[in-house]
Amino acid sequence: MPYAAITGWGFAVPDRVVTNADLERMVETSDEWIVSRTGIKERRIVSQDDSTTSLAALAAIRAVEQAGLQPTDIELIVVATCTADDFLVSQAALVQAAIGSKAAAFDVGSACAGFVTALDVATQFIRSGSYKRVLVVGADTLSRYIDFTDRSTCVLFGDGAGAIVLEATNEERGLLASVMGADGSGSEHLFVPGAARFAPESADLFPDARPHVQMNGQAVYKFAVNVMNEASIEAIEKAEMKLDDIDMLIPHQANIRIIEAAAKRLNLPMDRVWVNLDRYGNTTAATIPIAISEAAAAGKLNEGDNVVVVAFGAGLAWAAGVLRWGVAGTRNAAQ
Ligand code: UT7
């Protein structure tokens, strides 16, 4: 049974930087509060010219180039998003057209847990022998659904996209074990009320009625700390590894305190945890592929390293995995 190695990676974020000082001018908050409670210093927010498609396509092109492939080499595109640009058309189909690919394409919807879930789904397609080259994208522009008068949510989120290319290999690389879960009874802790019933044309008449994210921060926080720990440990056990075998943690970037708790549980010093939420905030499904891309570009991921990826979010839902970094032998199996 082939494995699914990560052979390419890339990310894209909007140019517009919104700092904590900018938010201080919009809501009653402070840089001190935001940094001490979350670790976030600034985030990127889309302008009129950006979209989920534009960010996802740029990240995808970069990942395909990094893999040394052409968009036409990709057989399947899976996009994790909760902010697709179209209600009917999958975000993956929009990315496919934007990058000039002919691949099969569909979306995975699991909010912040979406990318790890999509990585798992894509890996299964390669392991079953159905496809040999799959593009997995995590992309979101949640700022379009944020109420920028609500200080409890507007300081947390940013926009962005990250992508990876998976290729079939006979070597033990890529996602080796995974864990997924959901608890829909907690859905009211993080959701967008009224979104399904919203008529866009009413936005001009009733701007305040525009659907926006509502969150019970403390409930999500408690859930996150528990589930990050439990799902990571379960994935490590499923991979038949011990804590000592783990070289790096790439967690969902929502709150530095949640990340530090997960690192502590895994016995990892913070220099073996990739953190970028200070610069991007919580980019929903994009946090982990952006972090993978940055860590790889910084030379922090070495051939054979065992990496835990773990995410949680609206659903409530979670997903974790242990992946082995590197491309050894990949091209032989993928030909
Ligand atoms: O991908 C999943 C996305 N969601 C999450 O990961 C959220 C998880 N939860 C969290 O990260 C934290 O709960 C928050 C960062 C959202 C909030 O931190 P907290 O330490 O749980 O604060 P809190 O909600 O208990 O609020 C403490 C105080 C409150 O004031 P009072 O009632 O004590 O007077 C809030 O009104 O902080 C106030 N507050 C703020 N103050 C300044 C809430 N937001 C802000 C703000 N600036 N932006």
Side-chain angles (χ1 to χ4, degrees), residues 23 27-31 33-34 36-40 111-113 142 150-157 189-190 213 215-224 252-258 282-284 287 311-314 316:
L23 290 171
V27 288
E28 199 184 326
T29 190
S30 66
D31 176 59
W33 191 97
I34 302 170
S36 63
R37 299 284 179 129
T38 72
I40 299 166
C112 298
L142 199 69
D150 175 8
R151 69 178 184 176
S152 71
T153 53
C154 75
V155 303
L156 303 175
F157 296 96
H189 293 316
L190 178 51
V213 172
M215 185 175 71
N216 176 347
Q218 287 188 1
V220 176
Y221 187 94
K222 280 183 203 137
F223 153 75
H252 176 49
Q253 311 279 318
N255 188 314
I256 190 66
R257 293 181 288 150
I258 296 172
N282 180 347
T283 54
T284 323
T287 60
F312 65 90
L316 299 169

